[in-house]
Amino acid sequence: MNAVFLTARLKSTRLKRKVLLDVDGIPVIQYLVNRIQANSDIKIILCTSTSKQDDDLVNYAIQNSINCYRGSEEDVLERYYYAAKEFNIDKFYIVYGDEPFIDIELMQSTLQQMNKSENQFVDNSDYIDGIFGYGMTFNAIKHINENKTLKELEVWGSFVKNLPNVKTIINMSKHEKKEVRLTIDYKEDLQMFVELINLIGGNYKRYLTAQIIDTYLENKLFEINGFRMDDYAQRIEEQEKYE
């Protein structure tokens, strides 16, 4: 079985409880769920932690009939492994609750690329921030957890890509990564999201990624949150130093 692993917690400090923030009557995370469900019947599994602060996320999942797995607070790789094991998942696509404009075509093609009998990881990080996810087979996440150290807890670090016996497939984007920022991590990102939703309305569910990007560029929304790219990149680089 295939699944989308929707990764989310409520521990964010720059934009508190960002995935549950209300935008036009809908929590941020629901925009992502609606977009996936409007274009696919794939199983969605919310992967969050056992921390009490994430109880509201679990309640959200229950209220919206979304499968949920609660695991390690910090070890996200372990969380994915046990979620895949509990729900009998062969291949999964990792998305994040603060990235509502996920590229559905990329998700579908990534799942098609993987052979469930192999140790495979699909790296889509060349794509614009806020539209891409990562693909992984159950065999790969099992192997990764058996061979990681206590410092290697996230899928986006260099460890997973460089681990022997895991075949990494790298997909390259045709869009310029530095011109668009569609993730929600700072208040300016949320402001951009509100503006973009006002422009496209209910079309957010079915718009192709190219249409969303064109709307972003045509309306010069980069002027709102583009400067946050450097802050975000620096933070990720600092986190990777401690892997």
Side-chain angles (χ1 to χ4, degrees), residues 26-50:
I26 303 174
V28 167
I29 195 172
Q30 188 64 38
Y31 283 90
L32 171 59
V33 171
N34 289 347
R35 185 163 167 79
I36 295 171
Q37 291 180 335
N39 296 279
S40 172
D41 59 358
I42 191 169
K43 180 187 286 290
I44 299 175
I45 301 171
L46 174 66
C47 293
T48 191
S49 87
T50 55

Side-chain angles (χ1 to χ4, degrees), residues 8-223:
R9 289 202 58 195
L10 295 177
K11 68 173 185 176
S12 54
T13 56
R14 285 166 299 280
L15 190 58
K16 292 184 178 181
R17 296 170 60 87
K18 57 185 176 180
V19 299
L20 291 182
L21 292 177
D22 184 286
V23 175
D24 198 22
I26 303 174
V28 167
I29 195 172
Q30 188 64 38
Y31 283 90
L32 171 59
V33 171
N34 289 347
R35 185 163 167 79
I36 295 171
Q37 291 180 335
N39 296 279
S40 172
D41 59 358
I42 191 169
K43 180 187 286 290
I44 299 175
I45 301 171
L46 174 66
C47 293
T48 191
S49 87
T50 55
S51 171
K52 185 173 179 56
Q53 70 178 343
D54 292 322
D55 286 354
D56 284 347
L57 267 176
V58 176
N59 291 334
Y60 157 80
I62 293 171
Q63 292 167 7
N64 290 277
S65 301
I66 297 171
N67 296 287
C68 184
Y69 176 80
R70 303 188 79 166
S72 171
E73 291 187 41
E74 302 300 332
D75 192 339
V76 185
L77 290 171
E78 180 185 275
R79 204 187 308 162
Y80 293 150
Y81 169 63
Y82 284 109
K85 190 173 182 180
E86 178 169 318
F87 287 92
N88 195 28
I89 303 302
D90 300 312
K91 298 184 291 185
F92 55 92
Y93 191 71
I94 298 164
V95 300
Y96 298 89
D98 56 0
E99 299 184 346
F101 295 121
I102 199 73
D103 187 328
I104 299 297
E105 291 183 335
L106 180 61
M107 177 188 79
Q108 292 169 336
S109 64
T110 295
L111 289 167
Q112 290 173 356
Q113 282 179 293
M114 294 184 289
N115 182 333
K116 68 179 184 180
S117 65
E118 296 183 7
N119 297 343
Q120 289 181 322
F121 168 66
V122 183
D123 179 9
N124 295 321
S125 58
D126 183 65
Y127 282 71
I128 288 168
D129 290 332
I131 71 167
F132 72 86
Y134 300 94
M136 195 174 290
T137 62
F138 175 78
N139 285 344
I141 194 64
K142 182 176 184 293
H143 179 76
I144 288 165
N145 273 275
E146 291 172 347
N147 290 276
K148 66 180 173 62
T149 70
L150 294 178
K151 294 181 179 180
E152 292 136 356
L153 309 177
E154 293 277 3
V155 70
W156 43 256
S158 58
F159 162 73
V160 172
K161 291 184 285 188
N162 297 326
L163 185 65
N165 300 321
V166 173
K167 179 182 179 182
T168 298
I169 302 169
I170 299 176
N171 289 321
M172 306 299 290
S173 173
K174 63 181 180 180
H175 294 104
E176 177 54 55
K177 189 178 179 77
K178 295 182 179 180
E179 293 180 351
V180 182
R181 176 177 167 81
L182 293 174
T183 190
I184 301 175
D185 204 44
Y186 300 90
K187 64 179 182 179
E188 294 84 4
D189 295 327
L190 183 65
Q191 181 183 350
M192 173 280 300
F193 180 65
V194 171
E195 293 289 336
L196 193 46
I197 289 298
N198 286 337
L199 288 165
I200 65 178
N203 291 320
Y204 77 87
K205 294 180 183 179
R206 295 192 179 276
Y207 258 19
L208 298 176
T209 299
Q211 292 174 288
I212 294 172
I213 292 172
D214 286 345
T215 303
Y216 179 97
L217 293 172
E218 289 168 3
N219 291 275
K220 300 180 180 180
L221 299 185
F222 189 78
E223 295 177 3

